[in-house]
Amino acid sequence: MTQYSTLRLVNAIVIGYMVGTREVIGKGGAQAIANLAGEYAGRELVRFAREQGVSLSTVDDFVAYVGHEGLADQMVFEEVEGGFDVRIAQCYICPKKVGHYQFDGTACPWGGILLGALTDILEASFSCSTRLTPGETCMLHMKRKLAA
């Protein structure tokens, strides 16, 4: 189990923001808001990294960066027809596993973060569907949108 005391400020901010969103919006809308806001967070993550001189031009670069920044230690992208399946374990921004909050539903920003980051890194649009199991392994399917 991850010790909260070993985390960084950014982890606490994301966890608190997600729990606060859930409290304001409620069970039904928290995940939708997490996805929408997370998309902007993903774009900002890429922008920030690049401004700091970090090359983020591939999925592998992204995985290494989120590991280095302490957001998740296990993130595996598997290319599948039409996009990617992404497995995330040892996530350090989960409000339930890491923040130890108890509530119904989810408030995970990863779907949105991946949408925003991948759109910038791969210059393609994606949609996301999730199977979230807080505290275990979460699965996200990133489907590439066809150009209009």
Side-chain angles (χ1 to χ4, degrees):
M1 179 183 287
T2 302
Q3 296 296 319
Y4 195 83
S5 62
T6 64
L7 299 178
R8 298 177 182 164
L9 175 60
V10 70
N11 302 79
I13 290 170
V14 171
I15 290 167
Y17 188 83
M18 292 298 93
V19 173
T21 298
R22 199 256 179 217
E23 289 298 310
V24 170
I25 301 298
K27 176 184 173 184
Q31 190 57 58
I33 297 300
N35 291 341
L36 291 170
E39 187 171 347
Y40 287 92
R43 291 177 187 166
E44 285 299 313
L45 182 151
V46 172
R47 178 179 165 205
F48 178 83
R50 288 178 174 161
E51 289 289 325
Q52 300 297 311
V54 176
S55 172
L56 288 185
S57 57
T58 68
V59 168
D60 289 339
D61 291 345
F62 177 77
V63 170
Y65 186 71
V66 299
H68 173 76
E69 289 298 321
L71 301 177
D73 277 345
Q74 289 187 10
M75 181 178 288
V76 178
F77 279 74
E78 179 182 346
E79 195 158 353
V80 296
E81 185 175 337
F84 297 96
D85 282 337
V86 184
R87 256 186 356 267
I88 301 175
Q90 293 185 4
C91 167
Y92 302 125
I93 57 174
C94 179
K96 288 185 168 184
K97 177 184 177 187
V98 180
H100 305 291
Y101 287 93
Q102 300 299 315
F103 54 86
D104 291 334
T106 57
C108 173
W110 277 117
I113 290 171
L114 291 173
L115 283 174
L118 292 179
T119 296
D120 197 344
I121 293 168
L122 300 178
E123 298 178 351
S125 294
F126 293 87
S127 62
C128 179
S129 60
T130 60
R131 284 190 321 259
L132 303 172
T133 310
E136 295 180 23
T137 299
C138 294
M139 296 292 299
L140 298 90
H141 177 71
M142 308 303 296
K143 182 177 179 181
R144 190 181 304 265
K145 292 182 181 178
L146 300 176

